[in-house]
Amino acid sequence: MDNSRPPSPEAPPQDLWSSILDSVSTSRSIPAKQIVVLGQPSSGKSTLVSALLQKFPADHDKEEQRSNFALGYDWADVRDDADEDILARLSVYTVPSSASSYTSLLPHFTPPRASLSHTLIIIVLDWTKPWTFVEELEIWLEWVESWAKGDGSRELDIQLFPVQAHLQHYIEPTADPLPATSSLNGTVLPLGPGTFTHNTAGVPIIVACTKADLIDENNDVLGAGTSGMGGMVKGKGDEWEERTDGVMQVLRTVCLKYGAGLFYTTPQPDTLQILRQYALHLMFAPPAPSPGFSSGSDVPGLARNPFLFQHKPNTLDRDRIVVPAGWDSWGKISVLRDGFDAKLWGDAWERDIDGAEGETEPGAKKMYSVLVPDQGAKPAPLPPFNSPTPEQVFLAKNFDENSKKPDRDPRGAFRNPNENVAAGIVGPMGPSISSLPNVERALTEMEGVTSSNAGGDSSRKVLSRSTGRPPTSTLAVPLAASNSRSPAPSPTLSLSGSPNTPGGQTQHEVLQSFFERLLSSNKDRTGASANAASGRTTSPSKVNGNASGTDEGT
């Protein structure tokens, strides 16, 4: 009997539960997809974003949804057709304008190295402003290529194969279901002329023309209508249909160069739903096989696209255009309307991109402006440029003119027109000079002196002249009056009508001599007043002495 015991089982690893959780997390990981919506303000971006995320705001929330931010963001979970499993988490970034202040923010949130493989670009064009289509396409497509290049790393070149393979293996949907691998089987055909000549990084692009329900709006009156088509609108006539077909041919030619799809949308949910299905179909496209494999049997583990796009291309209904990437070609574009040269427009686009537009070979923007005239609101014209005269030139001109005028003295505006006073060197001298503060104060002092000696007649005469009574040609101001004891002549200021006095003196000299005599007379008057006061003080004593002597004699 074998009494040996069976060996004990090995101890489980300590990180058993961690490995189990990691395996479950790996198998149930949700891939991340993102869409970048580019467009000008009020072009219908918010409506597209709501349709892509299946978040339709209520009527009372629409006003709040109109606010534009520097970079809009929203997300939603993408579920399968049965609405059971979550297939991916879809993030949508919205750029409100093509201004560099907005577009420069996007690479910080969606760096091309990390997000290029799962990012879709939607360029929004507004059918109410069709004259801006080519210009906006050039701006946005140049930005997409610049963003996709990133820092120029070589790892970005591997993204070329998914889009190119999608273009080469595209099969138009039919009523019969297709095998899962049929889209990548068969012989790989070369790309046609004008196909995928740009967008070398392989970024999936969709050009969505919104508000297509306004294309055929009736407007029999030339001019800007509610649809914004301006003079291009002539109802639903043949000329208008030719123009709209020409616009679509130009858009398809440009989209063909970048491997992009073209869709027209309206506020109707069915057109928006078609756009959403195609966007999910592009984002969940299986990776392209290696260039060494030529058939699906040689591709190990080929994945299946969970979102098949079963809508056929439509180029006839102008409000429901569906042109998937990989279906179009120059031949199909030319069939729509005779007289359209896809190669000519392609070359014109290249000239615009390279900046080689000339007079004999116009670019795409110039050719498109002939097809669709610009009917947008024009800014108000600037006022005519006013070139001011240099300051020194202006002053010199006015100085020369004013120096020749006899009445250039500005003080003449304040002079009494009744005064007949000749102008002197320093200005007009007349009776009005007595109203100056210093002269009036001097006259007041003279009034106090003369009133005690000579009475009030002379002072009243001086005061009347100082207060502005009718002037005379000669102003005589007595400065001192003679008293009863010692009469003295009073100095007077005599201003005749001529600048020079009869003695040959100028008015300045007359004034100087007048004030000198005034000062000397004041000194004499002060001495005379002192002597008179002393005489009045000593005379009573003498009288008393004489009286006493008389009494003694008596």
Side-chain angles (χ1 to χ4, degrees):
M1 180 177 180
D2 188 3
N3 294 329
S4 62
R5 299 177 60 183
S8 60
E10 297 180 357
Q14 296 181 357
D15 58 349
L16 175 62
W17 290 108
S18 299
S19 60
I20 293 175
L21 292 176
D22 291 341
S23 62
V24 173
S25 177
T26 303
S27 61
R28 299 287 297 176
S29 61
I30 300 176
K33 303 292 182 179
Q34 60 187 16
I35 299 176
V36 178
V37 180
L38 308 175
Q40 298 295 344
S42 302
S43 58
K45 299 185 297 295
S46 59
T47 303
L48 288 184
V49 172
S50 300
L52 293 173
L53 299 176
Q54 296 292 294
K55 293 182 179 180
F56 298 99
D59 294 338
H60 63 276
D61 295 335
K62 289 183 179 180
E63 295 295 332
E64 300 179 359
Q65 298 292 333
R66 292 179 181 177
S67 300
N68 286 331
F69 300 95
L71 184 65
Y73 174 79
D74 202 352
W75 66 276
D77 291 333
V78 179
R79 299 179 179 271
D80 58 1
D81 295 336
D83 199 14
E84 295 179 355
D85 297 333
I86 298 177
L87 301 180
R89 177 156 295 172
L90 180 61
S91 300
V92 178
Y93 294 89
T94 305
V95 180
S97 173
S98 60
S100 59
S101 56
Y102 298 111
T103 56
S104 60
L105 299 175
L106 195 57
H108 297 284
F109 299 93
T110 58
R113 180 187 294 272
S115 59
L116 188 59
S117 59
H118 54 271
T119 301
L120 171 70
I121 303 294
I122 296 181
I123 300 176
V124 181
L125 302 178
D126 187 358
W127 251 113
T128 61
K129 300 176 182 178
W131 52 85
T132 63
F133 282 179
V134 172
E135 182 179 2
E136 291 183 13
L137 278 178
E138 288 186 4
I139 294 174
W140 290 121
L141 291 174
E142 286 182 1
W143 181 87
V144 169
E145 289 197 301
S146 176
W147 168 77
K149 291 179 181 177
D151 56 357
S153 59
R154 297 180 59 185
E155 288 80 1
L156 298 179
D157 294 340
I158 62 175
Q159 303 300 328
L160 172 65
F161 297 106
V163 174
Q164 183 173 346
H166 180 80
L167 297 175
Q168 292 175 329
H169 296 87
Y170 175 81
I171 298 178
E172 184 174 346
T174 60
D176 299 332
L178 298 175
T181 60
S182 61
S183 60
L184 293 176
N185 288 339
T187 305
V188 177
L189 299 176
L191 297 175
T195 303
F196 203 50
T197 58
H198 293 271
N199 187 21
T200 56
V203 182
I205 301 174
I206 299 176
V207 177
C209 298
T210 61
K211 307 177 186 178
D213 55 319
L214 302 178
I215 295 178
D216 287 336
E217 183 184 30
N218 265 325
N219 189 356
D220 297 332
V221 181
L222 295 178
T226 56
S227 66
M229 303 303 293
M232 203 176 79
V233 175
K234 291 187 178 180
K236 298 182 180 180
D238 295 338
E239 182 180 355
W240 169 231
E241 292 183 0
E242 291 179 1
R243 290 184 181 234
T244 54
D245 290 343
V247 171
M248 182 173 60
Q249 288 175 311
V250 173
L251 295 179
R252 289 170 60 183
T253 302
V254 175
C255 291
L256 189 63
K257 284 180 168 293
Y258 291 83
L262 177 64
F263 287 76
Y264 284 13
T265 64
T266 65
Q268 298 298 327
D270 53 348
T271 59
L272 298 173
Q273 184 64 20
I274 293 174
L275 176 63
R276 180 177 183 270
Q277 292 177 2
Y278 183 73
L280 296 177
H281 173 73
L282 286 183
M283 288 188 294
F284 285 90
S290 174
F293 297 102
S294 59
S295 64
S297 60
D298 298 329
V299 182
L302 185 63
R304 179 181 178 273
N305 192 333
F307 295 95
L308 298 178
F309 187 70
Q310 300 295 336
H311 294 275
K312 294 184 178 182
N314 181 8
T315 59
L316 299 178
D317 300 329
R318 292 194 302 278
D319 58 343
R320 298 172 180 269
I321 297 298
V322 176
V323 182
W327 174 82
D328 216 352
S329 64
W330 278 3
K332 295 178 181 178
I333 295 174
S334 301
V335 168
L336 180 64
R337 183 72 64 176
D338 295 337
F340 183 84
D341 190 348
K343 184 178 184 303
L344 177 63
W345 281 91
D347 295 340
W349 178 272
E350 297 295 337
R351 286 192 292 270
D352 276 352
I353 297 299
D354 299 336
E357 181 183 5
E359 296 181 358
T360 58
E361 296 180 347
K365 288 189 294 187
K366 188 173 182 180
M367 294 173 59
Y368 188 77
S369 64
V370 178
L371 177 65
V372 185
D374 186 357
Q375 298 294 330
K378 304 297 188 300
L382 296 176
F385 180 74
N386 184 15
S387 179
T389 305
E391 181 179 359
Q392 295 300 323
V393 176
F394 174 78
L395 294 177
K397 176 183 178 182
N398 286 272
F399 176 79
D400 295 339
E401 293 179 357
N402 292 331
S403 62
K404 299 177 183 179
K405 295 180 180 179
D407 56 345
R408 70 178 187 276
D409 190 351
R411 289 174 292 182
F414 305 96
R415 190 184 309 148
N416 190 344
N418 297 326
E419 293 182 3
N420 185 16
V421 180
I425 296 178
V426 295
M429 303 294 292
S432 60
I433 192 174
S434 60
S435 63
L436 297 177
N438 293 334
V439 178
E440 186 175 0
R441 185 172 59 254
L443 295 176
T444 305
E445 293 177 356
M446 288 187 294
E447 178 187 2
V449 175
T450 57
S451 62
S452 61
N453 298 322
D457 294 337
S458 301
S459 62
R460 283 192 297 270
K461 183 183 296 184
V462 174
L463 182 61
S464 64
R465 290 173 180 172
S466 65
T467 55
R469 288 193 177 184
T472 59
S473 59
T474 303
L475 175 63
V477 183
L479 299 178
S482 60
N483 51 26
S484 59
R485 290 180 178 270
S486 56
S490 301
T492 59
L493 173 62
S494 178
L495 300 177
S496 62
S498 61
N500 298 330
T501 59
Q505 294 181 339
T506 62
Q507 292 182 0
H508 291 81
E509 295 174 349
V510 172
L511 288 174
Q512 182 178 2
S513 61
F514 165 73
F515 284 108
E516 289 177 355
R517 292 196 305 271
L518 180 62
L519 294 176
S520 61
S521 63
N522 287 338
K523 293 180 181 180
D524 296 341
R525 191 185 313 111
T526 302
S529 299
N531 294 334
S534 61
R536 286 194 299 270
T537 303
T538 56
S539 60
S541 62
K542 292 180 180 181
V543 172
N544 294 333
N546 295 333
S548 62
T550 305
D551 294 338
E552 292 177 356
T554 307

